[in-house]
Amino acid sequence: MDRRRFLRNLLSGATVVALGPALLHGADALAGDPAEFSAGLVDRPYLAGWRQVSANAFGPTTVQIEGRLPANFAGTLYRNGPAWFERDGFRYEHWFDGDGMVHGWRFGDGAVTHRGRMVQTPKFQREQRAGRFNTMAAGTTVPGQVAIRNNDDANTANTSVVTIGGRLFAMSEAGSAFELDPDALDTIGPVTWRPDLQALPFSANPLRDRDGSWWNFGALSMLGGSGLLLWHIGADASLIGAHVLEMDAPGYLHAFVQTDRHLVFLLMPYDFTPSGSFFESMRFAPQRACTVLVVEKAAPDRVARRFEVDFAMAYHFGDAFERAGEIVVRTVHHRDVEHARSPHRAAMSGHDGPAPAAQLAELRLDVHSGRARWDLLGVTGIEFPLFDARTPGDRSARLYMPTTEGETGAPYFNAVQMLDPASGRRDVHRYGRDILAEEHVFVPRPGSTRPDDGWLVGTVLDPTRNRSGIAVLDAQHIANGPLATAWLPYAFPLGFHGHFAQTGA
């Protein structure tokens, strides 16, 4: 069977499962109560991080920068996150279900201009017209669901955003990337790189290779099929290739990691028992080992090595490197399956919940012996690790990530840190007790070649003053605090991932 025919058949079979009655016709609604959430917000202002947006568009709004930006710091930070949680007295109970809003923070002439727009997916437009949620969701059982043709009809485009070849894409996990206008943030529509790849998953965490091309995967198990769809996209956003990698059993993954030579996928085992929403039906199987697939970039149509390692939940990865016959992968390691599957479920309902219980870990893959193991590094209270991609492929990178420092008014991050796992060195800036700090993106200093020579740019939420903001820090002097900060006259909920499109890069 040729590749195109194989993918067509795969999609056809997957669609049947995705439209199965168990997923389309949940029983009783299990959603949260908007009134209960609003009552909780009075006593816990930090819940503004999970509050419904007040409009489907913000800005353009220009605010003056406090402090001073480096002269050659220029570009736009794009961010994405769930933002529309309530309709007609029905509130999603899972954070991941909210429809996506993309933000653009553009730096120029001593000011920041912010713009935010709901991604106009078919799901969002259909539910706007209906005045209620009527589409299957990942983590909430929605009553009265309408039939859908494929996963793009239920696509929220709410997880991440990236620019490739000057084009802007908003992504979730189970469907296509949605293209947006990079200036106005208006939605252009779902991207089909090739006709037989229409509506197939394009994950929210693509990786840029050193040659400027991009790797990504699609988890076909989320469609009810099997295998991983491996994407390779050129620096000009054209398709280089698409390959299906076979898996022995269902395995869930949110992201992956790369070295100079290899792509590494960590598959968390689960059993699927139809019972409402996708997450409610998915039962992780901690009694089984995780499978690790290693693919050579030079031969992306097959799995080069398989490993097994003790079960753990891992959504977000930092760096990976190869040295002395070993691949080392850094990731955020969860042991609490339920909390990892439904983070901040209590916040979605207007209640206090636990702080993240993850810690930094190294996954060590011995290429010669075929053995794999976890090394826990004892660094807790972290998420969303990023690093300077210019770091050589045979050494570990410094990691930049939000964290918790000192007293905090919320079960969320209030600081940003640099951590060098090789030396143990740590550098941290605490924004304040009541500030919620999000992912911070590394931006290289133009003209520099030395790793870690650059800045961090990240967004923050000040719920006590009902405002969202952005900060720029020197990556080598984080403890000195932001070089520049800008605050908007309004607030919007927390997001997940961002991407900095550097002017002239």
Side-chain angles (χ1 to χ4, degrees), residues 210 258-260 318-324 326-330 362 364 387-400 420-422 449-453 476:
R210 293 190 195 276
Q258 67 174 338
T259 68
D260 284 349
D319 64 322
F321 59 96
E322 296 187 48
R323 189 165 57 202
E326 188 177 51
I327 299 175
V328 181
V329 173
R330 297 218 174 91
E362 288 182 344
R364 291 185 170 270
F387 63 99
D388 184 352
R390 299 174 301 177
T391 305
D394 62 350
R395 81 175 211 202
S396 66
R398 294 177 174 181
L399 301 177
Y400 305 99
D420 184 347
T449 56
R450 186 163 51 93
D452 302 297
D453 186 2
Q476 299 191 45

Side-chain angles (χ1 to χ4, degrees), residues 8-24:
R8 280 199 300 271
N9 290 347
L10 186 62
L11 173 60
S12 176
T15 302
V16 171
V17 176
L19 296 177
L23 292 180
L24 289 180

Side-chain angles (χ1 to χ4, degrees), residues 40 150 205 238 276 336 350 443 468 477:
N150 55 47
N205 291 280
S238 64
D336 185 331
V443 180
S468 293
H477 302 284

Side-chain angles (χ1 to χ4, degrees), residues 176-235:
S176 302
F178 271 71
E179 185 168 3
L180 311 179
D181 181 289
D183 296 319
L185 305 185
D186 294 337
T187 301
I188 297 172
V191 179
T192 300
W193 268 279
R194 204 173 62 198
D196 61 318
L197 301 173
Q198 183 180 10
L200 289 181
F202 188 86
S203 96
N205 291 280
L207 298 174
R208 187 176 187 271
D209 211 336
R210 293 190 195 276
D211 65 2
S213 68
W214 291 76
W215 297 96
N216 201 5
F217 71 91
L220 299 176
S221 59
M222 297 191 70
L223 295 171
S226 63
L228 287 180
L229 176 58
L230 180 59
W231 299 89
H232 195 192
I233 306 296

Side-chain angles (χ1 to χ4, degrees), residues 369-389:
S369 70
R371 290 192 290 269
R373 74 173 194 273
W374 291 109
D375 283 351
L376 303 181
L377 302 185
V379 179
T380 59
I382 56 164
E383 253 299 359
F384 308 120
L386 295 176
F387 63 99
D388 184 352

Side-chain angles (χ1 to χ4, degrees), residues 113-129:
T113 299
H114 169 265
R115 194 188 293 261
R117 295 287 184 275
M118 294 299 300
V119 184
Q120 296 293 319
T121 61
K123 171 187 180 298
F124 184 75
Q125 293 180 324
R126 183 172 60 249
E127 293 177 337
Q128 281 283 82
R129 292 191 298 269

